[in-house]
Amino acid sequence: MLSQNIFTITENEKIADKTFRMELSGDASAIVRPGQFVNIKLNGFFLRRPISVCDCTGSGLTLIYKTVGAGTEYMSTLHAGEKLDLLVGLGNGFDTSLSGDSPLLIAGGGGVPPMINLTKRLISEGRRVQCVIGFNTANEVYCERELRKLGAEVIVTTADGSYGVKGFVTDAVRGLAYSFFYTCGPLPMYKAIRSVVSSAGQYSFEERMGCGFGACMGCSIKTRQGAKRICKDGPVFNSEDIIWEELEK
Amino acid sequence: MTNSPDMKISLCGLELDNPIIPASGTFGYGHEFAELYDINVLGSFSFKGTTFEPRFGNATPRIAECPEGMLNSIGLQNPGVHAVINEELPKLEKCFRKKVIANVGGFSVDEYAKTSELLNACDQVGMIEVNISCPNVHNGGMSFGTDPAAAAEVTRAVKAVTTKPVVMKLSPNAADIAAIAKACEDAGADGISLINTLLGMRIDLKTRRPILANKMGGYSGRAVFPVAVRMVYQVYEAVKIPIIGMGGISSAADVIEMMLAGAAAVQVGAANLVDPFACPKIIKELPGVMRNYGINKLTDIIGGAHNG
């Protein structure tokens, strides 16, 4: 259930190229599942900025975000002590009850952050977690150490081969054995993953959003279960419900 | 009871506890907001624009940010009038005991009438708001709201099939909004609501393409407030029927300004999307702001900015 709370920034630092980690203290109890997101009000911007939750405790949360436009650029200039108005507990999040014994987590670029909380949850539920995280180049790599520390087996890919396995996440996914997969990343990555995965899975989608809580119908997607709102009914959808032909358009 | 300022208003025969009405397209069919607060604090609300057939709407992206506002090109996504009557209204009944405003969209005069006739049979519907101003659909919507004769034809067709008050929702993209309003009044409209969104476009500098898949979309948010105030002022001079003013309202002071321009009630739109608690905040704030400006009874100020 959504709640609107004021958070205080306790840390906001660069951790990789164009990638920042922000620690916030405040009531994050509305966040109940990995893969949910928050929607942040920023001074000078009309719409809030939806950012996936990397990790959370009852009294705070961690966001890792990429600077992709004016809003996130502005976010990266904020300092510890400043306050932010957040809508928390948005979206459905990943369903860990589907994971089986050895789930595979696949993430590309800006899709990596929610894998932290997801890994934590799956490990606590006694699962063997494998992660494949992909980047363009070495100086973009983040979260590898954190995922290992949580107990996941981690493969890093870089498109230019400057770190880890050379190639795309799909190159590393081929040949792995797993019970279920969870993925977060850009649409072209999903289209490639689709042809190499050997199990059912869940995909987390992103879209330009108006409200982030299901009111404006800005981020609709056609699924086999009918029209859904990415912000409210998603962002996570089961592989069998996605109509890929619609996403080709 | 202390003598707190009187916020009650009367709108086309409907008695409202206050003039605050969430605008169509920003409030769904009420459920999302009913999870967040008791929506009975509202004067009423105008539900998501409903057409005869279900519609998915336009391709995404459908949202683009602007200075002090946003563009949307949803394209009247809705489950169709039958699903609204059979599924949405029964759900709404459990959390909203007031009358709702039924917002009706269409692509032909006949469709507007068919949809309105079905909604007329619903007790929960207190008023029908006819959207002849949607900028995001082709061959319908706004084309009826930019031509006085077409606007009058839709008004007559809906009036002929309903016993409930009919409010025509007008487009700011018309050449002469006062002429459209007058045409609706002459055709029997019980009220006018305005403004729908202003047609706009944003272009992504990286892709060098319009951000919206539909290329153009409707601009709403605080930025459009002065345009809305001006148009409500103009329409107030042209018609005698009540006006529901909207466009960028986000505070109690905005409500008072819009009523001074001539609005008998107001709708709050984009503000709900940025702050889901915008309407209850405005309602809570309104008595204090009324006191600050020496207003005891809100209905006293309607059209107060017009001399003589």
Side-chain angles (χ1 to χ4, degrees):
Chain A
M1 173 80 95
L2 173 170
S3 72
Q4 182 179 29
N5 297 323
I6 303 299
F7 284 74
T8 304
I9 300 170
T10 55
E11 208 178 304
N12 190 23
E13 61 164 8
K14 191 171 183 177
I15 58 166
D17 186 40
K18 293 183 177 166
T19 307
F20 291 77
R21 183 180 60 228
M22 181 182 278
E23 302 284 348
L24 294 150
S25 73
D27 180 2
S29 58
I31 302 166
V32 293
R33 270 178 155 190
Q36 288 187 298
F37 66 96
V38 297
N39 216 358
I40 308 178
K41 185 82 189 93
L42 297 172
N43 279 337
F45 295 89
F46 188 75
L47 294 175
R48 290 171 182 265
R49 291 303 187 273
I51 308 279
S52 65
V53 174
C54 172
D55 198 6
C56 68
T57 62
S59 61
L61 54 88
T62 306
L63 305 175
I64 294 181
Y65 59 96
K66 292 198 79 157
T67 50
V68 292
T72 41
E73 290 285 355
Y74 169 76
M75 243 178 99
S76 73
T77 66
L78 298 175
H79 300 289
E82 292 188 69
K83 293 189 188 312
L84 287 174
D85 167 351
L86 268 67
L87 300 180
V88 290
L90 302 175
N92 60 352
F94 292 107
D95 182 354
T96 56
S97 75
L98 302 171
S99 75
D101 290 335
S102 53
L104 172 65
L105 280 47
I106 313 164
V112 175
M115 296 305 164
I116 293 282
N117 204 9
L118 180 57
T119 296
K120 209 186 212 180
R121 179 72 63 93
L122 289 166
I123 297 270
S124 78
E125 291 172 359
R127 311 303 180 191
R128 176 195 164 210
V129 176
Q130 301 178 85
C131 294
V132 175
I133 55 177
F135 303 89
N136 291 313
T137 186
N139 67 1
E140 292 181 3
V141 177
Y142 64 95
C143 278
E144 180 194 6
R145 211 171 340 125
E146 288 82 350
L147 288 167
R148 282 193 208 283
K149 219 154 68 181
L150 291 170
E153 297 156 42
V154 183
I155 301 172
V156 179
T157 66
T158 52
D160 66 0
S162 55
Y163 188 89
V165 176
K166 181 177 181 354
F168 299 105
V169 289
T170 42
D171 298 312
V173 168
R174 281 195 196 97
L176 294 178
Y178 45 91
S179 51
F180 192 83
F181 71 90
Y182 298 95
T183 184
C184 187
L187 192 56
M189 186 185 99
Y190 289 176
K191 289 175 181 170
I193 284 174
R194 223 188 121 206
S195 57
V196 300
V197 288
S198 56
S199 73
Q202 288 195 313
Y203 292 80
S204 181
F205 282 82
E206 62 175 3
E207 182 54 85
R208 285 177 184 266
M209 291 176 184
C211 62
F213 54 90
C216 75
M217 317 301 274
C219 59
S220 295
I221 182 172
K222 285 180 187 168
T223 74
R224 301 209 186 276
Q225 311 291 325
K228 298 288 176 190
R229 299 158 295 183
I230 288 177
C231 69
K232 173 92 174 175
D233 308 308
V236 176
F237 294 95
N238 294 326
S239 50
E240 65 270 23
D241 292 334
I242 299 162
I243 306 175
W244 292 101
E245 309 83 75
E246 287 292 339
L247 300 171
E248 301 295 333
K249 285 176 186 170
Chain B
M1 289 290 286
T2 55
N3 53 346
S4 67
D6 182 0
M7 298 197 289
K8 286 189 168 50
I9 59 131
S10 178
L11 183 67
C12 307
L14 224 59
E15 304 303 318
L16 306 186
D17 293 333
N18 62 67
I20 310 302
I21 303 169
S24 179
T26 65
F27 213 74
Y29 294 93
H31 322 303
E32 285 75 19
F33 289 86
E35 288 176 15
L36 304 179
Y37 63 87
D38 178 5
I39 60 173
N40 290 293
V41 301
L42 303 167
S44 179
F45 79 90
S46 181
F47 69 46
K48 174 71 187 154
T50 297
T51 52
F52 193 77
E53 301 289 346
R55 284 179 55 81
F56 177 74
N58 292 323
T60 54
R62 301 173 173 184
I63 301 288
E65 190 177 49
C66 305
E68 294 296 336
M70 62 186 279
L71 297 180
N72 87 79
S73 60
I74 309 299
L76 294 178
Q77 179 176 351
N78 78 96
V81 68
H82 290 99
V84 169
I85 291 171
N86 297 326
E87 293 161 32
E88 301 294 344
L89 289 180
K91 265 198 278 177
L92 179 63
E93 199 165 21
K94 297 192 183 107
C95 55
F96 193 55
R97 55 178 180 271
K98 296 184 173 180
K99 299 284 188 193
V100 68
I101 300 177
N103 186 285
V104 173
F107 293 83
S108 68
V109 174
D110 182 49
E111 184 187 354
Y112 280 115
K114 277 198 306 185
T115 307
S116 300
E117 188 171 16
L118 291 172
L119 290 164
N120 185 56
C122 303
D123 281 345
Q124 287 161 275
V125 172
M127 188 179 297
I128 293 177
E129 180 179 54
V130 185
N131 177 4
I132 52 168
S133 43
C134 178
N136 293 321
V137 296
H138 301 289
N139 307 316
M142 198 173 83
S143 58
F144 292 101
T146 49
D147 171 39
E153 195 187 349
V154 177
T155 307
R156 273 192 297 271
V158 174
K159 278 297 288 180
V161 296
T162 174
T163 52
K164 299 186 195 287
V166 173
V167 171
M168 303 303 287
K169 183 169 177 180
L170 304 192
S171 170
N173 306 303
D176 181 354
I177 197 157
I180 309 276
K182 188 79 177 67
C184 292
E185 180 181 45
D186 291 345
D190 300 286
I192 299 290
S193 65
L194 76 157
I195 58 175
N196 204 319
T197 55
L198 289 142
L199 204 52
M201 180 186 281
R202 295 302 309 270
I203 293 169
D204 186 320
L205 301 189
K206 288 180 194 151
T207 64
R208 302 186 179 186
R209 301 288 303 146
I211 291 173
L212 299 173
N214 195 48
K215 297 188 178 72
M216 295 184 278
Y219 191 10
S220 62
R222 279 193 293 254
V224 311
F225 181 67
V227 179
V229 170
R230 183 265 293 178
M231 288 191 153
V232 166
Y233 187 96
Q234 286 178 310
V235 168
Y236 184 81
E237 306 231 311
V239 301
K240 294 188 175 60
I241 51 179
I243 298 166
I244 306 175
M246 78 190 87
I249 291 174
S250 52
S251 68
D254 292 345
V255 173
I256 289 171
E257 187 170 341
M258 191 60 93
M259 293 185 78
L260 286 168
V266 301
Q267 290 186 6
V268 178
N272 294 308
L273 306 180
V274 178
D275 179 358
F277 302 95
C279 284
K281 284 175 188 168
I282 292 172
I283 292 165
K284 204 171 163 201
E285 177 188 30
L286 192 52
V289 178
M290 285 172 68
R291 267 187 221 103
N292 288 348
Y293 291 99
I295 302 162
N296 294 318
K297 196 169 156 42
L298 211 43
T299 49
D300 289 346
I301 67 162
I302 299 168
H306 298 257
N307 291 323

